[in-house]
């Protein structure tokens, strides 16, 4: 099974992914956790390029780079793991491209959808959690996160950009309600975690 976490930076994706991974591992499941872009040598190299502030990258180049990183990950890691029946938890996946490059950068949605289809090779998560947090709150959390350092190239986009990204996530959730679950991320970590477990109990046979 394949589960992904979506949301803007600072929404709490990584926090919730780790909490869920711990529960699943304690229940005896083998879990592969992945961050996007990343998890293969090529994808991590592309991540460095994408997040670096050293150069400007056009929106279309950005779309293609994220897609290249993703398809390498799908073919090299996700597909083999799924074939073995391993559980995959992914920190961002294809919805990030729809939300950030489609809605955020306002690229032609047909092109974005085509790139997504090529990159994913049709592999989609069974469940996606969109952790919905207001831009200001996410900013505040990142500000207090001592490990965060300077904002990366993606994080430098302004408030209007992130408002469009949020709109994008909400549109996906509306179009695909059986896959994407909107989670109110403004609440306490433990409460959100509890919600996520409840959704998985209802929708899957995972030992949570
Ligand atoms: N529900 C929450 N309430 C308050 N702070 C949170 C919550 N979830 C995560 N955080 C904190 O906010 C910061 C960003 O969380 P993180 O999980 O790294 O977000 P993301 O992976 O989406 O960027 C971290 O310092 C984390 O400890
Ligand atoms: Mg994170």
């Amino acid at each position: 099974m394949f589960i992904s976490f979506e949301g803007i930076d600072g929404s709490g994706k990584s926090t919730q992914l780790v909490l869920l991974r711990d529960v699943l591992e304690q229940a005896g499941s083998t879990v592969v956790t992945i961050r996007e872009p990343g998890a293969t040598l090529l994808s991590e190299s592309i991540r460095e390029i994408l997040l670096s502030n050293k150069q400007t990258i056009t929106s279309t180049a950005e779309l293609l780079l994220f897609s290249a990183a993703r398809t390498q990950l799908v073919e090299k890691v996700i597909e083999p793991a799924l074939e073995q029946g391993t559980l995959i938890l992914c920190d961002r996946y294809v919805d990030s491209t729809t939300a950030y490059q489609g809605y955020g950068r306002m690229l032609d949605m047909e092109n974005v959808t085509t790139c997504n289809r090529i990159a994913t090779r049709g592999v989609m998560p069974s469940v996606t959690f969109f952790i919905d947090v207001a831009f200001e709150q996410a900013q505040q959390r990142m500000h207090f996160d001592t490990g965060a350092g300077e904002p990366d190239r993606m994080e430098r986009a302004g408030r209007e950009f992130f408002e469009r990204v949020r709109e994008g996530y909400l549109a996906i959730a509306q179009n695909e309600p059986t896959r994407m679950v909107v989670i109110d991320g403004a609440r306490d970590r433990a409460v959100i975690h509890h919600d996520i477990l409840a959704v998985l109990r209802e929708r899957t046979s995972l030992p949570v």
Side-chain angles (χ1 to χ4, degrees):
M1 182 173 299
F2 178 16
I3 297 168
S4 63
F5 290 81
E6 295 284 353
I8 60 176
D9 282 310
S11 59
K13 296 181 298 297
S14 305
T15 301
Q16 292 303 324
L17 189 149
V18 167
L19 289 172
L20 177 59
R21 183 198 63 196
D22 290 350
V23 167
L24 290 164
E25 282 183 345
Q26 270 160 30
S29 300
T30 307
V31 185
V32 170
T33 60
I34 290 167
R35 70 163 180 187
E36 258 234 69
T40 72
L41 214 53
L42 175 68
S43 312
E44 288 289 342
S45 305
I46 293 174
R47 179 190 184 89
E48 241 175 74
I49 294 168
L50 278 165
L51 300 187
S52 161
N53 289 308
K54 279 190 212 141
Q55 61 191 335
T56 58
I57 298 177
T58 71
S59 296
T60 302
E62 185 179 286
L63 169 68
L64 294 170
L65 284 167
F66 275 115
S67 299
R70 178 165 306 127
T71 202
Q72 182 83 0
L73 169 70
V74 169
E75 201 166 339
K76 294 276 188 191
V77 179
I78 297 181
E79 285 179 340
L82 286 176
E83 264 162 41
Q84 297 205 322
T86 307
L87 189 59
I88 299 166
L89 303 183
C90 207
D91 195 330
R92 297 194 178 282
Y93 190 59
V94 67
D95 301 312
S96 286
T97 294
T98 304
Y100 281 72
Q101 281 69 52
Y103 284 81
R105 302 286 192 221
M106 297 192 280
L107 285 175
D108 178 76
M109 200 51 87
E110 221 172 287
N111 285 343
V112 172
T113 305
T114 301
C115 278
N116 285 346
R117 196 176 58 239
I118 294 169
T120 59
R121 299 160 53 85
V123 175
M124 288 299 283
S126 301
V127 183
T128 298
F129 293 104
F130 165 45
I131 306 184
D132 188 20
V133 163
F135 174 67
E136 287 78 14
Q137 191 168 16
Q139 287 278 100
Q140 237 172 9
R141 286 182 186 173
M142 290 209 293
H143 182 71
F144 289 120
D145 188 347
T146 46
E150 285 292 295
D152 65 39
R153 200 185 59 83
M154 294 302 295
E155 288 163 2
R156 276 171 198 255
R159 149 197 253 292
E160 283 175 15
F161 173 83
F162 285 103
E163 274 167 8
R164 288 198 298 275
V165 169
R166 173 167 187 263
E167 223 178 279
Y169 277 131
L170 291 173
I172 300 167
Q174 204 163 35
N175 291 337
E176 295 180 70
T178 55
R179 176 173 66 85
M180 191 183 264
V181 181
V182 182
I183 299 281
D184 175 5
R187 300 164 300 160
D188 183 80
R189 289 172 183 77
V191 177
I192 297 168
H193 176 58
H194 191 264
D195 255 21
I196 286 175
L197 294 183
V199 168
L200 291 176
R201 253 177 240 127
E202 196 184 293
R203 298 189 177 208
T204 73
S205 53
L206 290 173
V208 290

